[in-house]
Amino acid sequence: MAFELREGIFAIDEMRNVSIKIGKVIEEAEEWAEEMGPTPKPGIIELRKWDMKLLERYEPFYAPVQDFCNLCTMGPCDLSQNKKGACGIDLKTAKARLVTIACCIGAASHGGHARHLLDHLIEELGEDYPIDLGGNVNVEAPIIRTVVGIRPRTLGDLREAMEWAERELMRVLHATHIGNEESYLDYESKAMHISMVDHVVMEIADIAQIVAYNMPKAEPNVPLTDTGFGIVDKNKPVIVVVGHNVLYSKPILDYLEEMGRLDDFEIAGLCCTAHDMTRVSGGRAKIFGPISYQLRVIRSGIPDVMISDEQCIRADLLQACKAMGIPLIATSDAAARGLPDASDWPVEKIVNALVSGELPGVFLPVPEKVGQVAPLVAEAIFKKHGGNRKYRFFANDEELWNEINKCTQCMSCVFTCPHNLRIDQGMAHAQKTKDLSKLAKLEEQCIACGKCEQACPKNIKIINVIMASNFDRLYNKKGKMRVGRGPIQDTEIRNVGQPIVMGQIPGVIAAVGCVNYPDEAKSLREILEEFVKRRYIVVTSGCHAMTLGMITDEEGQTLYEKTPGDFDAGGLANVGSCVANSHIAGAAIKIANIFAMRPLRGNYAEIADYVLNRVGAVGFSWGPYSHKAAAIATGFNRLGVPVVVGPHGAKYRRAYLGKYFKKEKWWVYDIKTRSKVPIEPAPDALLVAVETKEEAIVQLARLCIRPNDTSLGRQIKLTHYLELSQKYLGKLPDDWHLFVRSEADLPLKMKDELLHILESEYGWKIDWDKKKILEGPIRKYDAGFNPTIVEEVYEKYAGEKPPQ
Amino acid sequence: MAVKKEDKFPVARRYQIADVQVSREATAVKPQVVVNLIKKAKHPVLITGGQLLKDEKLVEIAVKFYEKGIPIIATGGSSKPLIEKGVKPQSVVFTLHQVTQFLLDEEWKGFDGKGNYDLVLFMGFLPYYLSRMLSALKHFSKITTVALEEFYQPHAKFSFTNLTANKDMYYSMLEEIVNNL
Ligand code: SF4
Ligand code: SF4
Ligand code: SF4
């Protein structure tokens, strides 16, 4: 006889000839009291009903980039005007499938990263290594709790969530094969599913690295770290790391620390690896800049060795490094870059091959070895030039002017540049006046993608021209970024939960994502500063967080230096790298749990419904471009958080846009009055692209409005919305009256004026003696309003079936 | 300066070399064609974009359209300079993304309640952003779209040709339209 015990508590008296296999031992004191909700480890259709609720209101919008498909050999197929391909798929559905694939790629990137970290850390520290995020975080892993239905206590426990995520990825990818889904709505539901998975794997990755590497644990007062070209001491060997997985670059710090030689080197990073280097080193590593700085850094000739890991790195990195004589060490198996595998080579052999130039680079997926090789290579290369780095985009001014003078203003570059930057005009102006200022201005917006150089019939090194034109400013750029703090504390949530849900804190603005900004990078600061000053909570991560650390004001200070790092009104909290985005979603979930006592365990739809109706949080990605950003945004959308993207975001092809005029779509069940109530269209979009910073500001304020706002909360939110609209759009917004439920919602200072407008322009009835609205609003304000759009949630709290 | 027949007319070069589709490309049109389209339209509208904040001349021209009775939907913050010059836009707060979503809905009655628009003119947008919206309208609606932009917009039904090398010509073509309405 043999039987298996899974989770639970058992008493065994006397047994013979029994072999017992024990699955998992949980100590009684640690048993998680929370009851299991309806959807632990959901499969791809278990939350479909929730998705359809969202998609019914926030109708998918498709803006095809191509109107053809060539995914299989029956094609290519012309799908224009929503025609169908040989397999029967129409244009909208084909685009929805493409979006689903993009979200799968995004989720797989964070997932691959998480799996890699997790396996490595478990091997190093053991399965039982505890998850301890500090005394102020008791609700650790809110996403995993809500989605997967487990409460991970050790690194080993995270594997359970990881395994579920991997299974779902397989399922969603399967659905994208030819001959599966027929409705774009089902693809959208699957895109949402895999993007929720994305949030889970981001949480796994960041929790694992925080606990294993002792990164800051929910600390608002993390140190500031240096950013920008100007912070790198060029008189030391310079090691530059680029990518997203700190697993490979951390050993460099460890090794140098062990040798007591940390101060003899400069270690600076690009993109999220830079973030995480500063998190593991307590601010001792530096940040060169966001991902758009790759070619700037390489072509400046500053690095003595380059270490690449994974994601968002240029696919011609080796070529770019080779052209500058910078040895490259590629570390991640996701990007071996065609290089020979040097895992088994002795350290000396690797160093020699790289320093002699015998090999332009090696593939070295062994973290500890990277730690030893990188400093040795950097030091040897440094010795060769002795700190006398002559190369500065051009050897001398003459070279620069020779390039400029070659330009014929053919504009081939302009028609391939993602921003259509007017390089021709900059060149012409320089040719005529010897003034580089027009070219220098391009530097502020150029993402150094290199497309223009390939298009130029004169082979002008356009990037170098642009960079050299702004050389002094670029080279001396210095700033400060607050190191990634990791999660939001439970105590912070306790303090802000109520004012967010009631509306007195007008909103949470989460600025995350990549660097494909439509405008000079400083516009990002201008947008966020508006909200910091108005005492919204501003959170940031990834390249947005780095960019903010590089934009200084007249006093030479970045926004970080002017604001506290708390998750509180007027704060600017940097959570960390891409995978730390999970803490932003986690904060929204924790508000539902800690403030409103909603159970998390396997209870996704209820929590998302809570967030949609009550938590005035809006994601903001001013320059999104990666697949990961697509998944992050879509994951936020499923959780009920709207996202505003910059204009390049329209190229994700799909948005979720509600329509104010479809009155039948704006309703909720009110658990208090046991009725179905029409509501104001708030928020009216889940994903929308804006064109300018002015528009971004107004949309962000607008999308913070939630049905559950109290009168005071609505009054505060409307005050900001109306003021910002007047400031940036020149008048009151067109739809403000839709958000007025009673006179108490009106901004105090404008009350009389607004009552008059409601009467004269919208035909509302006003009792002027009492200054009360008698007739007009979509619905009345009710202090006990308890909205939901989920039937099961209604039944759970009302104890009866929802009204028709 | 009107563009005469004998003037050399620049070739229609797509704003982005790689924004290629298999379906129709916009017909590059001269101002008089646009004038005729507007005159024939039952419910035309001009949508202005955020580039008006950087180009006063475009503001001036939009004002003239308005004075000739073409209603304006202002997006991207373009409402501010327009309102300062006496324009009353039909809407100011909705983004082009949202307005396009509304346009795609045959049931939409327009911001003025008179029914959906049949001719939509676009002026003052970031080219890549506008291009996506024009693509949506091309594939999923019957609306006639006209791009009055410096860059040729392939997904519009009608577009100005590429005028990036000659801004004066661009402005004069816009002037020619408003002067002939
Ligand atoms: S997947 Fe369908 S639409 Fe695409 S090429 Fe094949 S048959 Fe054509
Ligand atoms: S490198 Fe800069 S200027 Fe050249 S195409 Fe890319 S963004 Fe445009
Ligand atoms: S492609 Fe080259 S020659 Fe032509 S405008 Fe651009 S920089 Fe000048």
Side-chain angles (χ1 to χ4, degrees):
Chain A
M1 184 187 170
F3 64 86
E4 195 175 325
L5 299 176
R6 292 181 187 270
E7 270 179 47
I9 301 162
F10 301 85
I12 296 170
D13 284 344
E14 194 184 325
M15 279 191 276
R16 286 195 192 134
N17 296 330
V18 171
S19 101
I20 297 177
K21 184 175 155 215
I22 296 177
K24 196 166 162 191
V25 179
I26 297 173
E27 282 170 33
E28 203 170 348
E30 281 185 23
E31 189 60 76
W32 188 16
E34 205 167 271
E35 225 174 89
M36 186 63 89
T39 55
K41 298 190 183 172
I44 43 175
I45 54 161
E46 269 167 78
L47 290 162
R48 183 173 181 247
K49 194 171 162 203
W50 166 248
D51 299 334
M52 293 304 166
K53 284 251 143 89
L54 292 176
L55 296 166
E56 157 86 16
R57 207 196 250 182
Y58 304 101
E59 295 176 42
F61 165 101
Y62 296 99
V65 180
Q66 290 97 21
D67 53 2
F68 55 89
C69 177
N70 53 7
L71 261 186
C72 85
T73 69
M74 286 195 284
C77 298
D78 169 12
L79 305 180
S80 63
Q81 273 77 39
N82 217 23
K83 287 200 264 308
K84 290 187 263 178
C87 62
I89 200 167
D90 64 21
L91 183 58
K92 273 192 190 176
T93 314
K95 293 302 135 185
R97 172 172 61 173
L98 212 57
V99 173
T100 308
I101 293 171
C103 293
C104 282
I105 300 174
S109 302
H110 290 138
H113 176 185
R115 168 56 86 185
H116 195 166
L117 264 174
L118 195 59
D119 286 350
H120 181 88
L121 295 174
I122 286 176
E123 204 180 300
E124 209 171 276
L125 305 166
E127 294 223 331
D128 298 332
Y129 195 83
I131 291 173
D132 173 9
L133 292 171
N136 288 315
V137 180
N138 289 318
V139 185
E140 72 301 311
I143 304 176
I144 295 173
R145 289 176 180 218
T146 308
V147 177
V148 187
I150 61 167
R151 180 183 170 185
R153 292 181 170 82
T154 62
L155 286 181
D157 290 345
L158 291 173
R159 270 192 175 150
E160 195 178 337
M162 197 68 229
E163 278 156 19
W164 166 80
E166 284 160 346
R167 229 179 15 243
E168 294 313 301
L169 178 63
M170 184 81 87
R171 287 187 174 141
V172 177
L173 257 183
H174 164 208
T176 64
H177 190 273
I178 185 172
N180 279 324
E181 284 302 355
E182 164 150 11
S183 156
Y184 60 89
L185 293 174
D186 267 313
Y187 272 129
E188 292 302 344
S189 169
K190 290 182 164 64
M192 286 187 171
H193 186 65
I194 202 59
S195 302
M196 178 185 74
V197 169
D198 179 60
H199 284 220
V200 168
V201 294
M202 286 196 293
E203 186 168 80
I204 294 173
D206 212 48
I207 289 181
Q209 63 177 3
I210 290 174
V211 298
Y213 292 153
N214 203 21
M215 291 178 174
K217 293 175 175 171
E219 289 164 32
N221 299 316
V222 262
L224 291 163
T225 195
D226 292 321
T227 67
F229 259 81
I231 47 102
V232 175
D233 182 348
K234 295 153 193 101
N235 296 314
K236 292 178 184 177
V238 180
I239 302 171
V240 178
V241 297
V242 56
H244 287 82
N245 193 345
V246 77
L247 185 72
Y248 302 101
S249 36
K250 182 180 176 287
I252 304 173
L253 284 172
D254 293 346
Y255 176 77
L256 288 175
E257 189 143 47
E258 216 172 276
M259 310 296 285
R261 295 204 57 202
L262 209 46
D263 288 340
D264 299 341
F265 290 82
E266 277 291 62
I267 304 172
L270 292 157
C271 208
C272 284
T273 296
H275 255 297
D276 288 339
M277 286 285 273
T278 65
R279 290 166 85 191
V280 291
S281 73
R284 277 174 303 157
K286 296 173 175 176
I287 292 184
F288 241 130
I291 197 74
S292 54
Y293 267 52
Q294 287 176 91
L295 286 187
R296 283 171 172 81
V297 166
I298 294 168
R299 292 197 187 175
S300 73
I302 295 175
D304 291 311
V305 65
M306 197 83 191
I307 321 295
S308 70
D309 52 78
E310 58 205 31
Q311 300 159 27
C312 301
I313 304 168
R314 291 194 62 88
D316 61 355
L317 186 75
L318 178 65
Q319 217 181 320
C321 287
K322 199 169 157 185
M324 293 300 303
I326 302 167
L328 173 69
I329 302 173
T331 57
S332 164
D333 55 12
R337 303 185 179 278
L339 292 166
D341 187 343
S343 307
D344 299 332
W345 301 2
V347 168
E348 206 175 311
K349 180 175 166 192
I350 305 173
V351 175
N352 284 342
L354 291 175
V355 175
S356 67
E358 181 194 324
L359 286 174
V362 290
F363 172 52
L364 187 57
V366 188
E368 294 66 33
K369 246 182 196 169
V370 175
Q372 295 176 39
V373 171
L376 292 173
V377 174
E379 200 161 35
I381 296 279
F382 181 81
K383 266 194 193 131
K384 281 193 186 176
H385 58 66
N388 187 15
R389 292 184 178 82
K390 284 206 195 79
Y391 196 87
R392 300 185 158 200
F393 300 111
F394 292 107
N396 51 46
D397 274 6
E398 202 188 331
E399 260 189 28
L400 167 67
W401 284 101
N402 282 345
E403 289 292 283
I404 292 174
N405 289 330
K406 281 199 276 183
C407 176
T408 60
Q409 280 78 47
C410 73
M411 291 182 70
S412 298
C413 50
V414 179
F415 290 88
T416 185
C417 172
H419 304 296
N420 299 101
L421 291 181
R422 293 303 297 265
I423 300 154
D424 61 315
Q425 291 176 347
M427 297 273 191
H429 182 74
Q431 287 169 355
K432 262 183 244 143
T433 63
K434 295 280 162 237
D435 168 19
L436 293 171
S437 64
K438 268 198 172 182
L439 283 166
K441 203 154 169 56
L442 300 179
E443 193 276 317
E444 305 285 345
Q445 225 197 313
C446 170
I447 52 170
C449 69
K451 287 210 293 175
C452 51
E453 294 188 347
Q454 298 175 87
C456 178
K458 299 283 172 190
N459 287 320
I460 299 174
K461 291 197 191 98
I462 299 174
I463 295 180
N464 291 32
V465 169
I466 292 174
M467 300 308 148
S469 298
N470 202 31
F471 184 79
D472 289 336
R473 283 198 53 202
L474 176 64
Y475 227 60
N476 297 318
K477 206 176 240 179
K478 269 188 197 167
K480 296 253 183 225
M481 185 196 81
R482 195 173 291 116
V483 169
R485 54 168 284 168
I488 308 302
Q489 299 176 355
D490 296 5
T491 34
E492 287 173 299
I493 298 289
R494 233 164 254 132
N495 292 337
V496 300
Q498 182 169 8
I500 290 175
V501 172
M502 301 297 178
Q504 289 99 315
I505 290 182
V508 181
I509 308 293
V512 311
C514 340
V515 289
N516 205 8
Y517 306 126
D519 209 339
E520 288 170 44
K522 67 171 195 253
S523 54
L524 179 66
R525 175 175 177 154
E526 288 162 14
I527 295 165
L528 296 180
E529 205 157 11
E530 189 72 66
F531 291 99
V532 169
K533 280 191 191 143
R534 288 173 181 268
R535 303 194 53 76
Y536 284 64
I537 298 175
V538 180
V539 268
T540 186
S541 70
C543 281
H544 275 46
M546 278 183 250
T547 301
L548 277 179
M550 303 181 71
I551 307 160
T552 49
D553 57 14
E554 310 82 55
E555 294 152 34
Q557 287 193 314
T558 65
L559 203 49
Y560 293 107
E561 292 166 274
K562 302 205 140 171
T563 40
D566 309 73
F567 188 78
D568 199 354
L572 171 63
N574 171 19
V575 288
S577 55
C578 287
V579 285
N581 277 312
S582 52
H583 307 308
I584 301 176
I589 293 173
K590 292 213 294 190
I591 289 171
N593 181 241
I594 295 173
F595 163 65
M597 315 286 283
R598 296 289 182 110
L600 300 183
R601 193 172 190 180
N603 195 24
Y604 188 85
E606 178 177 344
I607 298 302
D609 173 66
Y610 183 94
V611 172
L612 175 70
N613 285 308
R614 292 171 177 80
V615 179
V618 185
F620 176 50
S621 195
W622 191 218
Y625 71 64
S626 71
H627 312 308
K628 295 188 295 170
I632 293 169
T634 308
F636 271 117
N637 294 161
R638 195 185 218 188
L639 188 60
V641 179
V643 175
V644 172
V645 293
H648 282 293
K651 289 183 238 170
Y652 280 129
R653 304 169 179 82
R654 184 267 284 130
Y656 295 131
L657 299 163
K659 300 169 180 169
Y660 69 90
F661 54 90
K662 295 243 156 145
K663 299 205 169 70
E664 70 283 3
K665 299 208 174 186
W666 301 99
W667 61 269
V668 294
Y669 299 114
D670 176 17
I671 296 168
K672 186 195 169 200
T673 57
R674 312 273 150 130
S675 56
K676 196 168 171 177
V677 222
I679 53 155
E680 54 280 22
D684 78 340
L686 282 185
L687 194 117
V688 59
V690 294
E691 189 190 10
T692 59
K693 61 178 185 240
E694 290 80 4
E695 188 162 64
I697 290 171
V698 178
Q699 283 303 324
L700 287 168
R702 181 171 179 273
L703 291 171
C704 285
I705 299 174
R706 291 293 176 279
N708 194 63
D709 298 337
T710 59
S711 286
L712 179 61
R714 182 62 61 86
Q715 190 195 100
I716 293 169
K717 290 185 185 187
L718 277 182
T719 303
H720 293 296
Y721 177 36
L722 269 50
E723 277 178 16
L724 289 167
S725 179
Q726 284 177 317
K727 180 172 172 186
Y728 293 107
L729 306 183
K731 75 183 271 286
L732 292 175
D734 317 284
D735 60 349
W736 66 271
H737 62 287
L738 299 178
F739 306 114
V740 179
R741 300 159 301 181
S742 83
E743 56 289 337
D745 288 348
L746 296 171
L748 277 183
K749 276 192 240 159
M750 306 171 73
K751 194 165 176 179
D752 282 6
E753 183 195 340
L754 294 174
L755 282 172
H756 275 288
I757 299 174
L758 287 172
E759 191 181 50
S760 60
E761 283 182 30
Y762 299 102
W764 289 24
K765 291 218 173 91
I766 313 289
D767 175 344
W768 282 104
D769 291 336
K770 296 188 185 130
K771 292 203 174 155
K772 268 182 89 75
I773 295 171
L774 300 175
E775 223 174 81
I778 294 172
R779 66 174 168 113
K780 284 208 168 65
Y781 174 67
D782 177 346
F785 187 56
N786 191 356
T788 175
I789 56 171
V790 178
E791 283 75 18
E792 290 76 8
V793 173
Y794 181 90
E795 256 186 271
K796 178 173 164 184
Y797 292 101
E800 60 186 43
K801 292 260 177 237
Q804 288 310 300
Chain B
M1 173 190 89
V3 187
K4 293 184 225 86
K5 253 204 179 128
E6 55 276 21
D7 282 343
K8 199 169 153 244
F9 206 60
V11 289
R13 187 175 182 186
R14 286 190 301 271
Y15 81 98
Q16 168 61 257
I17 191 167
D19 194 347
V20 184
Q21 305 214 352
V22 295
S23 55
R24 67 155 164 77
E25 294 228 334
T27 310
V29 286
K30 294 187 182 181
Q32 194 51 46
V33 179
V34 181
V35 171
N36 295 341
L37 283 167
I38 296 173
K39 284 188 176 162
K40 271 206 305 215
K42 289 198 187 80
H43 196 194
V45 71
L46 170 68
I47 309 183
T48 54
Q51 302 320 298
L52 267 68
L53 295 170
K54 294 177 176 165
D55 190 338
E56 275 175 39
K57 186 75 188 170
L58 291 185
V59 176
E60 216 177 276
I61 293 190
V63 172
K64 288 184 185 165
F65 268 106
Y66 181 74
E67 286 167 354
K68 295 276 174 129
I70 308 293
I72 292 181
I73 295 171
T75 70
S78 59
S79 50
K80 192 165 187 203
L82 290 172
I83 290 168
E84 280 162 9
K85 294 206 156 55
V87 173
K88 285 196 175 137
Q90 288 195 346
S91 99
V92 302
V93 85
F94 292 103
T95 62
L96 178 64
H97 217 177
Q98 286 158 319
V99 175
T100 308
Q101 172 79 319
F102 303 160
L103 286 167
L104 290 170
D105 193 322
E106 288 179 9
E107 288 169 27
W108 188 42
K109 296 281 176 280
F111 286 118
D112 53 8
K114 293 182 186 159
N116 207 334
Y117 307 89
D118 60 345
L119 178 83
V120 184
L121 311 158
F122 297 86
M123 189 174 79
F125 287 94
L126 286 171
Y128 55 87
Y129 179 54
L130 176 59
S131 173
R132 297 282 59 74
M133 303 304 131
L134 290 170
S135 159
L137 289 164
K138 168 163 91 172
H139 294 301
F140 308 120
S141 87
K142 295 191 184 81
I143 291 171
T144 303
T145 55
V146 186
L148 305 177
E149 297 282 340
E150 202 183 350
F151 284 91
Y152 170 69
Q153 283 287 348
H155 308 315
K157 178 107 200 215
F158 301 101
S159 168
F160 275 179
T161 188
N162 166 43
L163 298 163
T164 47
N166 191 346
K167 200 136 196 173
D168 289 339
M169 185 187 272
Y170 173 49
Y171 291 144
S172 72
M173 283 171 66
L174 289 170
E175 293 276 5
E176 194 184 334
I177 296 174
V178 283
N179 290 340
N180 286 293
L181 285 178

